[in-house]
């Protein structure tokens, strides 16, 4: 598998992460190398400030490897996702899976800066999550 879990999740086991990643790769018709790290708010806030100029935490960040376009890393902030899950009344693990898919799609070149792109990306996320029996209304 092309997934490396750099720092594990409190809510997801490795088997589930690999299963979801396999669904993303199947949907895209290709595999690429992905590192996944579940980080604290201070860590993701620092990365968000450094790379996006936003001095605030966020739920997920994706970083492409400059040498191999689609290869890269995904950082998911567990404490931020915990807050979102509470607000949405959904499981933290479900939202973490959504953000894993979201991050992998970013690495594959999908974006959501324009309204049409957002709709397309959200449809793909939903289709992938539905294949594993997960439905998140966000």
């Amino acid at each position: 598998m092309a997934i490396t879990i750099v720092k594990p999740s409190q809510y997801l086991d490795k088997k589930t992460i690999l299963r979801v990643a396999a669904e993303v790769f199947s949907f895209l018709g290709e595999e690429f190398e992905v590192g996944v790290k579940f980080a604290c708010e201070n860590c993701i806030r620092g990365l968000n400030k450094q790379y996006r100029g936003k001095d605030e935490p966020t739920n997920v960040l994706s970083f492409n490897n400059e040498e191999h376009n689609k290869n890269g890393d995904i950082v998911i902030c567990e404490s931020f996702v915990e807050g979102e899950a509470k607000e949405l009344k959904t499981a933290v693990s479900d939202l973490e899976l959504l953000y894993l898919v979201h991050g992998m799609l970013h690495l594959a070149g999908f974006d959501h800066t324009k309204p049409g792109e957002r709709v397309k990306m959200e449809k793909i996320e939903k289709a992938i999550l539905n294949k594993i029996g997960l439905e998140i209304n966000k």
Side-chain angles (χ1 to χ4, degrees):
M1 183 58 66
I3 297 286
T4 303
I5 301 168
V6 179
K7 183 176 181 287
S9 166
Q10 298 177 59
Y11 301 96
L12 295 174
D13 59 37
K14 183 177 181 177
K15 183 178 176 182
T16 303
I17 292 169
L18 295 176
R19 182 171 55 103
V20 171
E23 286 297 335
V24 175
F25 292 143
S26 175
F27 179 87
L28 297 172
E30 65 180 313
E31 286 193 18
F32 43 92
E33 297 292 324
V34 180
V36 180
K37 177 180 182 179
F38 294 88
C40 69
E41 270 189 49
N42 286 337
C43 176
I44 206 157
R45 180 185 200 132
L47 291 170
N48 205 20
K49 183 177 181 182
Q50 180 178 352
Y51 292 100
R52 298 181 63 224
K54 296 183 178 188
D55 189 14
E56 60 191 21
T58 189
N59 43 33
V60 62
L61 292 171
S62 299
F63 300 95
N64 284 89
N65 177 321
E66 292 176 16
E67 293 177 25
H68 301 93
N69 191 23
K70 293 182 182 177
N71 294 350
D73 296 302
I74 298 168
V75 182
I76 298 171
C77 180
E78 286 201 300
S79 58
F80 195 92
V81 175
E82 287 169 345
E84 286 184 317
K86 185 175 182 180
E87 197 174 294
L88 295 169
K89 295 179 174 67
T90 193
V92 176
S93 58
D94 292 353
L95 275 185
E96 285 188 346
L97 290 175
L98 168 65
Y99 294 130
L100 174 65
V101 171
H102 186 87
M104 290 180 72
L105 291 176
H106 272 306
L107 293 178
F110 289 87
D111 202 358
H112 51 77
T113 54
K114 297 177 185 165
E117 293 172 336
R118 177 176 297 280
V119 170
K120 181 179 179 181
M121 193 168 174
E122 287 174 353
K123 280 183 182 179
I124 294 168
E125 289 168 351
K126 186 175 184 171
I128 291 168
L129 293 172
N130 284 343
K131 279 192 88 172
I132 62 162
L134 190 60
E135 186 174 328
I136 300 173
N137 296 313
K138 187 171 189 280

